[in-house]
Amino acid sequence: MRPGRNLEDRAWRGYHPRAAVPALAAAVVASAALVIGRVLLAGHHPDQPTPLAFYGSVLAVWPLALGRAAYRVVVRTYRLTDRAILVDWGPFVCPESPVWLSNLRAVRSGAGWLGRRLGVGWVELSETSGRVLRLTGVRDPAGFAAAIQALVTAGPAPPPP
């Protein structure tokens, strides 16, 4: 990196809220199963410890699922600049070193069957050193991968005047 030259932003992405839909759907299913189990176990004795434990489990699922999704949406960012991709996973994860465009060997994108319907997926960055970094929860992953590939193909950015 040349001293005195800042990175110029080209695109920003992050963990999109739609990417949390599968986890929230699983929480709905788990909640329904726990409520049904509570009703089946309680029978005519709803104040027994076992049915109350099932009910407590239902209550515990939602703060965890919503908190995890909110945390990812707020803190995960993927910043594409003219020379590098900067990834921030949040304050509780060790910082990720920049992915320099000059060191990229391959850029791939994809999504699961539900992700394709929601318009979210992943972008995988393979460096010449062998490091592979997968960016998850990206809205329009094919478009973001194409933007990265276009900068890689264009070569290094010219120095500022």
Side-chain angles (χ1 to χ4, degrees):
M1 188 160 119
R2 285 183 223 131
R5 179 153 185 258
N6 294 328
L7 298 173
E8 297 175 19
D9 287 337
R10 301 301 170 130
W12 281 76
R13 292 288 200 284
Y15 191 86
H16 197 274
R18 289 182 192 170
V21 168
L24 295 178
V28 167
V29 170
S31 295
L34 291 171
V35 168
I36 290 168
R38 179 184 181 271
V39 169
L40 292 176
L41 285 174
H44 300 292
H45 308 289
D47 295 333
Q48 295 298 317
T50 304
L52 291 176
F54 271 88
Y55 184 68
S57 299
V58 171
L59 292 178
V61 164
W62 284 101
L64 292 173
L66 293 173
R68 182 176 180 235
Y71 174 80
R72 286 181 173 186
V73 167
V74 170
V75 302
R76 283 193 177 179
T77 57
Y78 314 127
R79 179 179 160 206
L80 175 61
T81 69
D82 59 340
R83 292 179 291 143
I85 301 161
L86 307 174
V87 178
D88 185 7
W89 300 115
F92 301 118
V93 180
C94 292
E96 195 71 49
S97 58
V99 178
W100 298 102
L101 298 179
S102 59
N103 295 339
L104 272 180
R105 180 173 39 95
V107 179
R108 296 181 338 133
S109 66
W113 69 271
L114 184 56
R116 282 190 295 276
R117 284 154 184 74
L118 296 171
V120 294
W122 50 266
V123 173
E124 191 173 83
L125 309 169
S126 300
E127 292 184 276
T128 54
S129 65
R131 174 180 162 207
V132 176
L133 185 63
R134 185 174 268 206
L135 312 177
T136 59
V138 179
R139 185 172 184 199
D140 184 23
F144 192 51
I148 294 169
Q149 191 61 51
L151 284 175
V152 169
T153 306

